[in-house]
Amino acid sequence: MGCTPSIHVNQTGLVICRESEDSNSHIASYSAAYHTRVVKSDGTTETSSGVAVTSLDKQSAFKELVPLTLKQGNESLNIEAQTQTSIRIEMKSTNNEVSLGPMKLKQKTMSILLVFAKEDAQSDGFWWAADKIGYKCYIAHNPETAMENYLDKHPDVVIIDHRNSKHFDAEALCRSLRATESSEHTVIVAVTKRYALDKEEPSFLPSITAGFNKRIVESPNISMCMNELLTLEYGEVQSRLKLSACKAVFSALDNVSDAVEISSEDLEVQYVNHAFERLTGYSSEEVLGKNSSEIVKNDRNRPDLNDTINSQLKKGKYWDGIYHTRRKSGEILPSHCHICPVLGQGGKISHVISIKNSTTDTSHILKESTEFNLVNGRLSRQSSGLHGVPRRKESIARIHSMTIEAPITKVINIINAAQESSPITVVQALDKVLEILRTSELYSPYFAQQNMKDNDPMTSDLVSGLVSNVKRSLTPSYLSDVNSNSSGKQGHHSHLHIPSPVTSSLSQVPDHIQEILDKDYTWEFNVIELEKVTNKRPLLYLGLKTLTRFGICDFFQVEESVIANWLKLVEGRYHSTNTYHNSTHAADVMHASAYFLERERNKAVFDQMDEIACLIAAIVHDLDHPGRTNAFLVNEKNQLAILYNDQAVLENHHSALAFQLTWKDDSVNIFKNLETDDYKILRQNIIDMVLATEMKQHFQHLNKFINSINKGCLKMDETSSMSGNGSPDSTMMLNQLSAPENKTFIKRILIKCADVANPCRPLDVCKEWGKRIAEEYFLQTDEEKARGLPVVMPVFDRKSIRIPKSQLSFIDVFINEMFESFDDYCDIPELISHLQTNYQYWKERDEESSEKSEQENLPNGTTEDDT
């Protein structure tokens, strides 16, 4: 029994005839000379006998192979390739020009992907048809290869064998292709079985639902395959080319400054661009499907104006004039408006287009009405219209007439006005300024890897772990051998009940505790010592003393016992099992906040409510902290992360829980006697400061402080040095600092500095806090690896970490600039001195650790001295 060949054209365009014992090809009765003929890249052909044959190109090979008898069932088809004019067409030229209205599009050579489990006469027919016309053609034999080829080649047409589900599910493959982004402009065709005339054919609707655009009934006839492919190119493929061009048109419309609206002939809104949304205040979702005239209806337009416009449209003419537009807010703006019809089938109006731009004084710019005619599909203006006023002038007039809704709008308007009389280079520079100003996060820095100090992974991890909630990659295999019992969930969700201490008043504080508290007014105050002598209850004692010093009982009009009860309650909700985020940290932050509030400039800027808000925010800023970062909670899908939509998860929880606990019982409710308005202001201040402690917003808050506060203080200091502290200019600057918005910026930085002041503490305290925060990060890394969670900060591995290096990185990235800025504002030289001393200490320890690691040939080795 003779074998049948499988015919291919590879990617280099070579005709290959392969032997195939199981081929389904119906081409039979080849002479032995054709069985192993291969067209080689050098243009010669070898037969099975090894005799070289002169150059055999694709067309001549095809001619030699086609005039055979094809048998399919009981049918016999004689194909005389030499006499068939449809097969003798010349190779198709590429890059045909296609018109879409005035647009000229170039259609590239069509590419086809054939998906056939086994090659047969049908696949060969399409292959040879594509070759004759000049199309690019690829073939795949299973869904996986088909998907790989589709994503790599992006063919215009995919032809899938839908005759038999034995090898793969054609509809499932079609759905998979349609699930990709690039499938929108792909034509997917199904090859279906040919049924006898007396047999009922199944519905093709399920295949259409799956994503097929067309079906072709099986026929290996080369002419039929060629005609089908040509029909696809000049039909479906060209239509999709035009649709892709339409996307470019809509993108252009969304980026023009004029408001564009497209409606049906019945004025039902079908499309509005972004400028329309800005002009009217309506979103596209609010207007689509609504009647255009009803959306902007108002009493400023002439009663007969709509009739006049409709009359012009029915004549196939454009209307141009002043039209008053009602915004969503109720405000009415005059608009220079162009309204034109689009003629469809039968010369009837299919769409109405409206183009508006607002302007105030239009009498010197525009005529009341201008008519346009359609001449050969193009616009013919019947009057002078804009009187030669440049388009940019008209656009600026519209911008200046807009209602100012935000300070940034004023800035943009000023820049736009400045561009009018500026040289082109300045205009281009200001355009870049406007682009930056229109971004949503003006104060968020961009962290490029090359900007990280020395491309340091420690610094990179700190930034990624503390400033972002982005998931990090899972633990590498070489780090997965950590003992799962080393971490567990120690203290993660536990709450320790702390018994009520003996004291509820300052008069009952034991002498050994009072001796430590007497130093609370200095920066050298050691909260670690207070933690030890109070049995991990420093917040109650230090809080009661500090709050009393700032007059909290008089401010809230409550007894001292209410303050003490509230402090007991709050301290009880801090996790004493946390090595860092516990009540000692809260007491430390409160002490730093109180110290900052005593600075002369803060005393001049803040009132008592500001001071109380700062102290309470410091006390509750980490309430019920689980000892894990926000990113950890998001990655483990913690209920708090779900509740707060992954945004500032812990900070939202701290502030919300603080108010929930306070209002639960009258005996702890420090807010109960406040006036409603005072409570609202105080609550808003506390929430804002607690949320400011989220490190993700660190650089935004810092940049706002530098630009709004530091620069003002610099002018204030210069004025004071020249004319004395009591000068009018100095007083004016102080008033500016006391403005509510500026006080908010100051309070945010105040609590942020208090929250991360550890590197500015005396060295022994600084080292203790450094060890504690590292241990808490170690526990988180251990748990992440044990539970298979993404590791947020991989360098915090207790086996390889260098604590001095982590401290240096933290100071470089987060501490230096913030404390220098705060020092410029309120003069804290003692903190800067400690910061410099501590930085030098960590640097020396890190160098020693590096040298020891190199000597012992142990990378990233650590020693007991490191901690």
Side-chain angles (χ1 to χ4, degrees), residues 262-268 270 308-319 339-354 374:
I262 301 177
S263 305
S264 67
E265 70 276 13
D266 299 323
L267 300 184
E268 181 180 290
Q270 296 178 337
T308 301
I309 295 173
N310 290 332
S311 175
Q312 288 294 108
L313 297 178
K314 288 178 181 178
K315 296 176 185 177
K317 296 180 179 181
Y318 290 72
W319 182 88
I339 302 178
C340 61
V342 177
L343 304 183
Q345 190 174 7
K348 296 181 180 180
I349 297 176
S350 62
H351 295 87
V352 175
I353 298 175
S354 171
L374 286 174

Side-chain angles (χ1 to χ4, degrees), residues 174 382 451 561 627 693 711 726 755 762 866-867:
C174 183
Q382 294 182 333
N451 292 335
S561 59
T693 62
K711 292 180 180 179
D755 189 25
D866 289 341
T867 58

Side-chain angles (χ1 to χ4, degrees), residues 84-256:
Q84 291 191 13
T85 57
S86 62
I87 295 183
R88 273 196 248 109
I89 66 170
E90 295 181 359
M91 295 292 286
K92 191 177 178 307
S93 62
T94 59
N95 296 326
N96 292 332
E97 189 174 89
V98 179
S99 296
L100 176 63
M103 289 184 70
K104 298 299 181 184
L105 311 175
K106 290 291 185 181
Q107 184 174 8
K108 62 182 178 63
T109 301
M110 189 171 81
S111 57
I112 304 164
L113 172 62
L114 302 177
V115 186
F116 285 76
K118 291 188 176 182
E119 297 160 10
D120 58 9
Q122 186 64 69
S123 64
D124 290 341
F126 280 120
W127 187 281
W128 283 110
D131 175 73
K132 286 296 293 182
I133 301 173
Y135 298 143
K136 298 176 183 177
C137 193
Y138 315 96
I139 190 164
H141 299 298
N142 55 64
E144 293 76 16
T145 308
M147 181 62 73
E148 182 180 345
N149 275 272
Y150 179 76
L151 296 175
D152 180 44
K153 306 297 183 183
H154 301 291
D156 301 300
V157 178
V158 179
I159 300 177
I160 302 176
D161 188 359
H162 198 352
R163 295 171 297 174
N164 195 326
S165 60
K166 176 181 177 182
H167 301 290
F168 60 82
D169 187 338
E171 292 182 0
L173 173 58
C174 183
R175 281 191 290 268
S176 298
L177 295 175
R178 288 297 181 205
T180 63
E181 291 184 3
S182 57
S183 70
E184 181 181 0
H185 304 298
T186 304
V187 181
I188 304 182
V189 181
V191 177
T192 60
K193 290 182 180 179
R194 181 183 296 278
Y195 289 88
L197 295 177
D198 59 345
K199 188 174 181 180
E200 185 174 351
E201 188 173 337
S203 171
F204 191 61
L205 182 59
S207 298
I208 294 175
T209 305
F212 283 102
N213 302 108
K214 178 183 173 65
R215 72 159 187 156
I216 297 175
V217 178
E218 65 176 341
S219 172
N221 186 284
I222 305 295
S223 301
M224 186 282 298
C225 293
M226 291 174 64
N227 289 333
E228 290 289 357
L229 295 181
L230 290 169
T231 302
L232 286 171
E233 179 184 19
Y234 287 94
E236 294 276 356
V237 174
Q238 264 192 19
S239 297
R240 276 164 169 70
L241 175 64
K242 294 177 181 180
L243 286 175
S244 65
C246 288
K247 291 183 67 175
V249 174
F250 282 119
S251 179
L253 289 175
D254 279 335
N255 286 280
V256 299

Side-chain angles (χ1 to χ4, degrees), residues 288-413:
L288 294 182
K290 304 288 183 62
N291 187 279
S292 175
S293 58
E294 293 297 323
I295 295 171
V296 296
K297 186 176 181 181
N298 62 83
D299 56 3
R300 294 281 186 89
N301 293 317
R302 299 195 319 268
D304 62 340
L305 183 56
N306 285 337
D307 293 336
T308 301
I309 295 173
N310 290 332
S311 175
Q312 288 294 108
L313 297 178
K314 288 178 181 178
K315 296 176 185 177
K317 296 180 179 181
Y318 290 72
W319 182 88
D320 189 324
I322 302 303
Y323 194 92
H324 288 82
T325 301
R326 177 172 57 83
R327 305 188 76 234
K328 184 177 181 180
S329 62
E331 179 190 7
I332 298 175
L333 295 177
S335 302
H336 177 227
C337 185
H338 306 264
I339 302 178
C340 61
V342 177
L343 304 183
Q345 190 174 7
K348 296 181 180 180
I349 297 176
S350 62
H351 295 87
V352 175
I353 298 175
S354 171
I355 304 173
K356 300 176 183 176
N357 54 74
S358 64
T359 180
T360 49
D361 182 10
T362 57
S363 60
H364 66 291
I365 299 177
L366 303 167
K367 288 187 174 180
E368 178 63 25
S369 177
T370 306
E371 295 181 3
F372 296 79
N373 286 325
L374 286 174
V375 180
N376 296 326
R378 294 189 177 274
L379 236 129
S380 174
R381 189 186 292 269
Q382 294 182 333
S383 67
S384 58
L386 297 178
H387 295 295
V389 176
R391 176 54 184 270
R392 188 173 180 87
K393 293 287 187 182
E394 178 191 344
S395 179
I396 294 301
R398 177 178 66 82
I399 292 174
H400 283 306
S401 71
M402 293 176 63
T403 301
I404 303 302
E405 296 181 338
I408 192 64
T409 312
K410 294 181 181 179
V411 174
I412 291 174
N413 284 343

